[in-house]
């Protein structure tokens, strides 16, 4: 916390907060979020669905419920390998966000969860060997965990203006991560008791929820129903989502002849 307090905020952020300082109390800000930004709150919750599930279900619940044949040491290192792979792919996700946009990166990560969630889980239920555990949980789900979690904070933060950003993240990202991620293991276990394959289907569905959330958000933006960015508009989804302003050609100067 001391180190974070030493980081200077940008001038644009400081000026906006200064202009609104003392004008709104916490209750007024929360009320403004619920009245004027309900769609942004729902977009934030839906966007973390895949990330929350990949963070809390595969590296923990899978090892204890599906990969029970692993020894204590292997179980520990399979979970650690998932975290290490996630850290390794984080710079790649950040680079792609800088190049193609934070929404594009979130969308690609959700597509990856949709494609690998059920097949990798089904593979682990059929083969609980050590190599399958390291490849399935450590590599495939590690990539999903790191890629999805690298830039999701920026995606949710951009949904709200600077003066409401902290409270907006608390009501969207924190709630989605706490409930969808915190109960991911319990939901997976409940599905597992119904059928062995249901947890994998559930994980794939979380990716679909995030994919649909991104598409719905872009569609609502096109209709001017929601503002998706407040500071970093370009790039966003492979391009800028801000309206392009036509530029006028420079006027031609008339050259006067010498007398």
């Amino acid at each position: 916390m001391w180190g974070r307090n030493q980081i200077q905020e940008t001038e644009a952020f400081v000026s906006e907060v200064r202009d609104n300082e003392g004008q709104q109390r916490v209750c007024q800000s929360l009320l403004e979020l619920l009245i004027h930004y309900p769609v942004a709150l729902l977009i934030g919750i839906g966007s973390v669905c895949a990330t929350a599930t990949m963070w809390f279900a595969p590296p923990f619940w899978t090892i204890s419920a599906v990969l029970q044949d692993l020894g204590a040491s292997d179980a520990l290192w399979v979970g650690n390998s998932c975290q290490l792979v996630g850290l390794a792919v984080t710079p790649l996700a950040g680079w792609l966000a800088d190049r193609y946009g934070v929404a594009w990166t979130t969308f690609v990560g959700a597509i990856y969860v949709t494609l690998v969630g059920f097949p990798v889980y089904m593979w682990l239920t059929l083969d609980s060997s050590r190599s399958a555990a390291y490849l399935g949980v450590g590599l495939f789900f590690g990539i999903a965990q790191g890629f999805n979690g690298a830039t999701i904070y920026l995606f949710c933060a951009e949904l709200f203006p600077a003066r409401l950003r902290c409270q907006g993240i608390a009501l969207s990202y924190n709630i989605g991560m706490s409930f969808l991620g915190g109960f991911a293991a319990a939901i997976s276990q409940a599905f597992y008791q119904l059928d062995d394959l249901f947890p994998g289907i559930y994980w794939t569905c979380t990716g679909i929820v995030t994919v649909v959330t991104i598409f719905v958000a872009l569609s609502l933006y096109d209709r001017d129903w929601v503002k998706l960015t407040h500071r970093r508009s370009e790039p966003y989804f492979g391009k800028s989502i801000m309206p392009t302003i036509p530029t006028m050609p420079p006027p031609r100067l008339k050259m006067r002849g010498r007398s």
Side-chain angles (χ1 to χ4, degrees):
M1 292 178 62
W2 178 85
R4 176 62 185 88
N5 290 333
Q6 304 307 311
I7 300 177
Q8 295 183 355
E9 301 289 355
T10 62
E11 183 61 31
F13 179 88
V14 173
S15 62
E16 182 171 343
V17 173
R18 188 189 304 117
D19 294 340
N20 293 276
E21 189 174 3
Q23 295 182 7
Q24 288 183 323
R25 296 183 178 181
V26 175
C27 294
Q28 293 175 325
S29 300
L30 292 176
L31 187 62
E32 182 180 354
L33 278 171
L34 295 175
I35 294 177
H36 298 289
Y37 297 93
V39 178
L41 293 173
L42 293 177
I43 292 173
I45 294 174
S47 65
V48 306
C49 189
T51 305
T53 303
M54 289 296 103
W55 272 358
F56 292 98
F60 305 109
W61 177 83
T62 308
I63 295 175
S64 61
V66 179
L67 303 174
Q68 298 179 355
D69 296 336
L70 292 176
S73 178
D74 283 326
L76 175 64
W77 279 105
V78 166
N80 288 339
S81 65
C82 183
Q83 310 299 323
L84 293 174
V85 171
L87 290 174
V89 301
T90 296
L92 173 62
W95 178 79
L96 290 173
D98 288 336
R99 188 172 181 85
Y100 299 105
V102 64
W104 185 90
T105 307
T106 305
F107 175 78
V108 171
I111 287 290
Y112 179 82
V113 173
T114 303
L115 295 177
V116 306
F118 178 72
V120 174
Y121 171 80
M122 184 172 61
W123 173 35
L124 293 174
T125 60
L126 299 176
D127 183 7
S128 59
S129 63
R130 183 170 61 177
S131 59
Y134 277 102
L135 287 175
V137 177
L139 181 60
F140 289 106
F141 287 136
I143 293 174
Q145 182 184 116
F147 197 92
N148 283 274
T151 59
I152 189 63
Y153 316 97
L154 177 60
F155 179 87
C156 293
E158 277 294 290
L159 295 171
F160 309 98
R163 58 189 175 82
L164 299 174
R165 182 161 292 175
C166 292
Q167 293 165 322
I169 293 178
L171 289 179
S172 59
Y173 172 86
N174 286 353
I175 288 180
M177 194 63 65
S178 299
F179 284 92
L180 299 176
F183 288 100
I187 296 173
S188 300
Q189 180 63 29
F191 280 134
Y192 187 73
Q193 294 176 351
L194 297 176
D195 191 276
D196 293 350
L197 300 181
F198 279 1
I201 298 174
Y202 162 63
W203 296 353
T204 291
C205 289
T206 61
I208 295 175
V209 169
T210 300
V211 170
V212 172
T213 299
I214 301 297
F215 272 128
V216 171
L218 293 174
S219 177
L220 294 177
Y221 171 81
D222 291 337
R223 292 170 172 79
D224 294 329
W225 289 0
V226 65
K227 187 176 182 180
L228 298 178
T229 63
H230 289 79
R231 288 298 179 198
R232 182 171 172 168
S233 301
E234 185 177 356
Y236 188 73
F237 194 75
K239 59 180 180 179
S240 173
I241 64 171
M242 301 301 290
T244 57
I245 301 177
T247 57
M248 299 297 294
R252 295 181 179 181
L253 299 178
K254 296 181 180 180
M255 302 297 295
R256 295 182 179 179
R258 294 182 179 179
S259 56

